[in-house]
Amino acid sequence: MKAENEQRTGLLYGFGAYGLWGLVPLFWPLLMPSGAVEILAHRMVWSLAVVGLALLALRRWGWISELVRQPRKLGLTALAASIISVNWGLYIWSVNNGHVVEASLGYFINPLVSIAIGVLALGERLRRAQWAAVGISFIAVLVLAIGYGRPPWISLILACSFATYGLIKKKLNMGGLESLTAETAVLFLPALGYLLWLGAQGQSSFAAHGVGHALLLAATGLVTAVPLVFFGAAAIRVPLSTLGLLQYMAPVFQFGLGVLYFHEAMPPERWAGFSLVWAALAVLTWDALRTARQSRARLDMPAPAVGAPAREPA
C-alpha cells in the first residue's frame, strides 16, 4: 500500500512538472516588452536566489566544496550552463516571436536526437525499431524543411542543445537541485553584469513598467525551479519508463497552445511532418515498453534449482 501511494504521489509530481513545462509558453509573453536576452538574464539571477533558499532550508551544502576541488567537473558544469542558456534563450525568443509550434517540435524530436548522440558519442548500439524511428524522423525533418521553406532551425537547435545538455548531465551525475544551483551560479555574474549594464544604458525594463512587471521578472526563478523540484520528486518515485512517457506531455501542451491559443499556421505539409515525428515517437515508445516488459520477465523468471539441467530457450 505504501509503495502504491508513493507511486501515485510520484505520478502527481510528474504531471505537475511536465504540465508546468507545457504551459510555460503562456508566461513568457507576459514579460514583454522585455527582450529575450533580458528575460534570460533575469531567469538566471532569480533562479539562483530560489535554489539558494531551497538549499539553505535543506542544509545541502557539502557538494559545493567537492565540486570546487574537481576542475573537470567544474568545467563540465560551465559547459552545461552555457548550453542550457542557449536553449532557454532561444525558447523564450521563439515563444515571444510566434514560433511556439516550431519550438514544440524541438522537444518532440529531442528523444530521437538523444538516441543519435548516444550512437555517435557513446558508441551505443540501436535496436531495429530505434533505427526505424530515427529514419522516420529524418524524413520528417526533410518534409518540414520543404514546408517551412528552410530547415526547422529552431526545432533542431532546441533539440540538439537539450540532448547535449542531457549528455553532460549524465556525465556529471549530480542531483537536480544541486546541478541547477551550480549552473546558475556560473551564469549569475555575467547575467547580473548584463542587467546592470542595461540599467546604466537606460534600457532595462525591470523598473520601467511598474511593480507588477518587476514581480513577473522575479517570478522567472520560480518558473524555472518549481517544475525541476517536481521532476526530482517524481524521478525517485516512478519508473523511468513512466517518466519517458510523461515527457511527451510538455510538447503536446506546447503544440496545442501554438495552434489553438496563438493561432499559428499549420499548412498540410507541416501536419505531414509532425505526423511523421509522432509516428517515429510511437515506434520508439512501443520498443521501449516492449524492452522493459522483456527485462521484467527475465528478472521474474525463477532461478533453476541447483543440479537441475538448464532449460533450452524456446
Side-chain angles (χ1 to χ4, degrees):
M1 179 64 72
K2 184 178 179 181
E4 289 181 5
N5 289 336
E6 280 288 293
Q7 190 158 342
R8 192 177 297 114
T9 302
L11 281 173
L12 290 175
Y13 277 123
F15 281 121
Y18 287 108
L20 288 172
W21 280 326
L23 294 174
V24 78
L26 296 173
F27 179 72
W28 303 126
L30 300 177
L31 304 180
M32 297 174 73
S34 299
V37 179
E38 184 181 3
I39 295 171
L40 175 63
H42 276 287
R43 186 177 188 178
M44 294 169 181
V45 169
W46 295 108
S47 292
L48 182 61
V50 171
V51 294
L53 288 173
L55 287 175
L56 186 63
L58 297 171
R59 298 182 179 180
R60 281 160 55 177
W61 300 106
W63 60 273
I64 297 177
S65 58
E66 181 184 343
L67 176 62
V68 171
R69 290 195 300 268
Q70 301 180 62
R72 181 179 177 276
K73 202 168 185 178
L74 201 56
L76 284 174
T77 300
L79 181 59
S82 301
I83 291 172
I84 199 61
S85 66
V86 171
N87 185 276
W88 286 355
L90 180 59
Y91 185 74
I92 294 167
W93 180 89
S94 302
V95 171
N96 285 354
N97 286 274
H99 298 284
V100 177
V101 169
E102 191 174 351
S104 75
L105 175 64
Y107 294 105
F108 274 124
I109 65 176
N110 176 66
L112 298 158
V113 174
S114 295
I115 287 174
I117 287 179
V119 173
L120 297 174
L122 304 178
E124 295 177 356
R125 298 181 63 182
L126 299 187
R127 296 181 292 274
R128 279 179 292 184
Q130 291 174 313
W131 276 117
V134 171
I136 294 170
S137 66
F138 180 75
I139 296 170
V141 170
L142 291 178
V143 171
L144 287 164
I146 295 170
Y148 281 106
R150 57 171 175 81
W153 292 117
I154 293 173
S155 308
L156 293 173
I157 293 172
L158 286 174
C160 291
S161 60
F162 201 75
T164 305
Y165 175 71
L167 175 65
I168 297 171
K169 296 274 278 189
K170 183 180 178 67
K171 291 181 178 295
L172 281 171
N173 194 26
M174 294 173 64
L177 190 59
E178 291 83 355
S179 62
L180 180 61
T181 304
E183 290 156 20
T184 49
V186 168
L187 299 168
F188 177 79
L189 287 179
L192 182 62
Y194 176 74
L195 292 176
L196 292 174
W197 178 83
L198 275 183
Q201 297 294 313
Q203 299 175 19
S204 172
S205 67
F206 183 71
H209 299 280
V211 175
H213 184 73
L215 290 175
L216 283 172
L217 284 171
T220 55
L222 288 172
V223 169
T224 300
V226 170
L228 185 66
V229 171
F230 283 0
F231 174 79
I236 61 175
R237 289 176 171 87
V238 299
L240 193 59
S241 58
T242 304
L243 277 182
L245 293 175
L246 287 177
Q247 74 173 326
Y248 297 127
M249 275 182 60
V252 165
F253 281 15
Q254 293 163 9
F255 177 81
L257 286 173
V259 174
L260 301 174
Y261 181 81
F262 294 103
H263 304 293
E264 294 184 15
M266 282 294 292
E269 59 272 19
R270 206 168 293 176
W271 278 112
F274 269 86
S275 299
L276 286 169
V277 169
W278 295 331
L281 292 175
V283 171
L284 199 63
T285 303
W286 167 79
D287 178 68
L289 292 174
R290 184 191 62 170
T291 303
R293 281 197 301 269
Q294 290 174 346
S295 298
R296 283 197 299 270
R298 282 194 294 268
L299 289 173
D300 292 340
M301 285 180 63
V306 176
R311 293 176 60 187
E312 291 290 329

